[in-house]
């Protein structure tokens, strides 16, 4: 069964850092690009970041560029996002999502994890 | 690219034909997906490339395209279909979603 399991969400003070993880199983992880998508409480969906299957290429939404860093461990089948300089507006449920293709461009999300909650508040 | 989804809320009864529209601010070819999200759950892919039905999704769901206007149709609404629906363009980064359509019981 294809599965994505996020972890690492927490309550963190503004300006703090946090690393989220997403453990993948049930598919050949290295063959697919992966993304992070977030959803603020009661709001819609916002794409955050994309990484290619090899991990060589990364993309970011303007709202997080320079503060977040996406990475992956293709040996352990884990996706990460390192989040620095966190702001109140980063408060959201963070989903990892599998892209349909290897590079990620022109590919939708076909599998989603259950999400991990990040709350940025003093 | 802005995705304008309408309506924001829709009240319907079981058996109704339901249509949700999403308009892109510029051409996105057919690079559009539709997702269903139930409360407390992750989104679930229904349609990709504007009109391709994801494996395992009931055939009452269908998608269509007319230039930059995209439509999700549920041919006969079932109790399990009451949820929020989002469109998403993946033609160019940053990928963007519509604001969502909540389908409620009438």
């Amino acid at each position: 069964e294809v599965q994505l399991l996020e972890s690492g969400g927490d309550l963190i003070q503004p300006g703090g850092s946090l690393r989220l993880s997403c453990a993948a199983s049930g598919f050949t992880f290295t063959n697919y690009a992966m993304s992070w998508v977030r959803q603020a409480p009661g709001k819609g969906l916002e794409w955050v970041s994309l990484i290619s299957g090899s991990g060589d290429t990364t993309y970011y939404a303007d709202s997080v560029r320079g503060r977040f860093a996406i990475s992956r461990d293709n040996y352990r089948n884990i996706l990460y996002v390192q989040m620095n300089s966190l702001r109140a507006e980063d408060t959201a449920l963070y989903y990892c999502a599998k892209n349909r293709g290897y590079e990620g461009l022109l590919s939708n999300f076909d599998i989603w994890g259950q999400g991990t909650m990040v709350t940025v508040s003093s | 690219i802005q995705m304008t989804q309408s309506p924001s809320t829709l009240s319907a009864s079981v058996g109704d034909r339901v249509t949700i529209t999403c308009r892109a601010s510029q051409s996105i070819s057919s690079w559009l997906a539709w997702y269903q999200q139930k409360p407390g759950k992750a989104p679930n892919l229904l349609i990709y490339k504007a009109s391709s039905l994801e494996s395992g999704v009931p055939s009452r769901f269908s998608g269509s395209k007319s230039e930059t206007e995209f439509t999700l149709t549920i041919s006969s609404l079932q109790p399990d279909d009451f949820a929020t629906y989002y469109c998403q363009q993946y033609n160019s980064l940053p990928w963007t979603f519509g604001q969502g359509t909540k389908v409620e019981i009438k």
Side-chain angles (χ1 to χ4, degrees):
Chain A
E1 180 191 4
V2 176
Q3 195 169 4
L4 299 172
L5 189 62
E6 302 94 333
S7 61
D10 205 349
L11 170 63
I12 190 88
Q13 292 192 341
S17 297
L18 202 59
R19 188 178 80 160
L20 306 183
S21 301
C22 171
S25 60
F27 64 100
T28 305
F29 185 66
T30 192
N31 285 356
Y32 296 95
M34 297 290 295
S35 292
W36 288 98
V37 179
R38 68 185 180 184
Q39 187 168 34
K43 302 297 184 182
L45 299 164
E46 179 189 16
W47 169 77
V48 172
S49 185
L50 163 70
I51 188 168
S52 62
S54 65
D56 290 345
T57 308
T58 58
Y59 303 90
Y60 299 93
D62 287 346
S63 57
V64 306
R65 186 176 293 114
R67 301 187 298 122
F68 288 16
I70 192 171
S71 62
R72 62 192 296 160
D73 182 335
N74 282 348
Y75 293 101
R76 298 174 64 202
N77 293 351
I78 302 176
L79 174 72
Y80 300 102
V81 63
Q82 176 67 41
M83 304 187 296
N84 300 327
S85 303
L86 282 162
R87 306 166 180 167
E89 54 265 36
D90 295 319
T91 294
L93 185 62
Y94 284 74
Y95 294 103
C96 72
K98 172 183 168 290
N99 284 89
R100 208 177 267 281
Y102 176 73
E103 287 298 329
L105 297 178
L106 298 179
S107 74
N108 59 280
F109 313 117
D110 58 357
I111 302 293
W112 298 65
Q114 87 292 344
T116 187
M117 186 68 200
V118 174
T119 303
V120 184
S121 175
S122 54
Chain B
I1 298 174
Q2 284 194 318
M3 304 303 294
T4 303
Q5 194 172 332
S6 62
S8 54
T9 307
L10 187 159
S11 296
S13 302
V14 172
D16 283 354
R17 182 181 182 87
V18 166
T19 298
I20 299 168
T21 299
C22 195
R23 179 174 279 110
S25 60
Q26 64 189 72
S27 175
I28 58 170
S29 186
S30 294
W31 303 114
L32 183 111
W34 290 97
Y35 302 90
Q36 177 193 66
Q37 186 177 34
K38 296 180 180 178
K41 300 293 186 181
N44 182 52
L45 175 66
L46 300 174
I47 301 284
Y48 63 97
K49 214 179 283 184
S51 59
S52 296
L53 189 69
E54 176 69 354
S55 176
V57 173
S59 59
R60 63 180 179 273
F61 292 93
S62 63
S64 63
K65 171 200 168 187
S66 176
E67 297 186 356
T68 59
E69 184 170 290
F70 299 82
T71 301
L72 173 70
T73 300
I74 309 172
S75 60
S76 178
L77 197 65
Q78 298 301 300
D80 192 47
D81 302 338
F82 292 97
T84 300
Y85 295 83
Y86 293 94
C87 62
Q88 179 231 342
Q89 69 81 17
Y90 52 101
N91 178 77
S92 60
L93 292 170
W95 295 328
T96 46
F97 293 85
Q99 74 272 29
T101 295
K102 186 175 182 180
V103 177
E104 299 180 326
I105 300 172
K106 192 170 184 179

